[in-house]
Amino acid sequence: MREPLRVGIAGLGTVGASVARLMARNADGLAMRAGRPMALTAVCARDRGRDRGVDLSRAAWHADPLALARDPNVDCVVELIGGEEGPARALVEAALGAGKHVVTANKALLARHGMALARLAEERGVALAFEASAAGGVPVVKALREALSGNRVARVSGILNGTCNYILTRMEAEGLSFAECLADAQRLGYAEADPTFDVEGFDTAHKLAILTSLAFGVALDPDAIYVEGISKITPLDLRMAAELGYRIKLLGVAERTPTGIEQRVHPTMVPRTSSLAQVMGVTNAVTIDADAVGELSLIGPGAGGDATASAVIADICDVAADVVRPTFGIPADRLAAPERAPMQRHEGGYYIRLSVFDRPGSAAGIATRMAQADISLESIIQHRARTADADPSGRSGAPVPVVLITYATTEAAIREALARIDADGHVAEPPQVIRIERE
Ligand code: HSE
């Protein structure tokens, strides 16, 4: 058998420690698959004393990630530090610049600097592999880059953030607060170091930028993504969704439209009977619509140490087997510039929850503004106030929730109607707007 691939891991947190453990536990099987053994020769982590459940005594310890990139006993650098700048970026640039293969789970780094890093990797003839960067343990990168080469992809969509799906699932099922669910997601190792990236939709956007490039053969364009997170979703929205036959999921969607590629991340009402509505907890789901294969869905754990490590190890195995492909499937300089479809032209149904002053003319005024924007309403829901709060005259003017469901319309029409409703003084708070996917 050939000499071992010498692996250096930078970052021994939840995922890094799992990678080290799985490499040790599956050493023989991995060597047979790759045609050569893999040896963990170096690590870089802050806390040397922590027990990570694996013997690291034969690996060199580096305090500085750049020292790991320069270590002559490392052929393949595994970057699990995270973050789009700082040590992670410096490490990956140094490693590729030194002609070393890089395996990373760092979606933020790839979304922002993926094009430059891909060019560098391709110039040096080394691998820049990133299966773990999107949808955790779900092998969607390989699916798009390799298994679906014979297809023209029309749409990639799905649940790409385990933390958000976990939070929404538990809030709905157990009536827990957003804060309690987020704390549990952090404790379980699902959330990013800064969980704002999860709950405000940025993590989903980073992953979507990567999948869009792979699916459509275009350069990464993270600034083109419309992004909204889940932090403003309330228990009332979750109850209304259930009443209306929907469930709320944070979706990332990239699709070809007549005006270009639309990329968007936002909470979405999906029918309760749909397959996406059944995806619970930290699970991710990606659906790809392509001309030859039709519709393909991949579902599995989207976060967590061992699940993410599974994807990292698949990449290390490829490197050991000398698999070096263009980073995003097509050489970086041949990726097309993406045409951006503006969000204002997005078409679909909408859930709009307004806090309406309960007085004569409010509902009529709102309905008029909707009609003026050419929006057709499918339903309007205003529940009677609880008996204790009820105003028998209906003239108290106290704000009450009113939910409107629209037929398909455009984002521009919704924004125009809501601006007028606000200017008319009918509502007490900014509206809650949630897009609906009916298929
Ligand atoms: N914080 C991410 C998530 C980890 O919750 O999905 C996996 O990328």
Side-chain angles (χ1 to χ4, degrees), residues 400-424:
V400 289
V402 173
V403 169
L404 312 176
I405 302 292
T406 77
Y407 286 104
T409 180
T410 64
E411 183 85 13
I414 291 289
R415 294 295 161 198
E416 178 194 320
L418 291 177
R420 291 200 170 144
I421 289 166
D422 185 38
D424 290 342

Side-chain angles (χ1 to χ4, degrees), residues 105 107 132-133 135-136 160-164 189-192 198 203 207 282 284 302-304 308:
K107 51 260 158 142
S133 68
L160 298 173
N161 184 270
T163 299
C164 287
Y190 303 154
E192 297 302 300
D198 297 293
D203 179 77
K207 294 166 179 168
V282 73
N284 280 193
T308 310

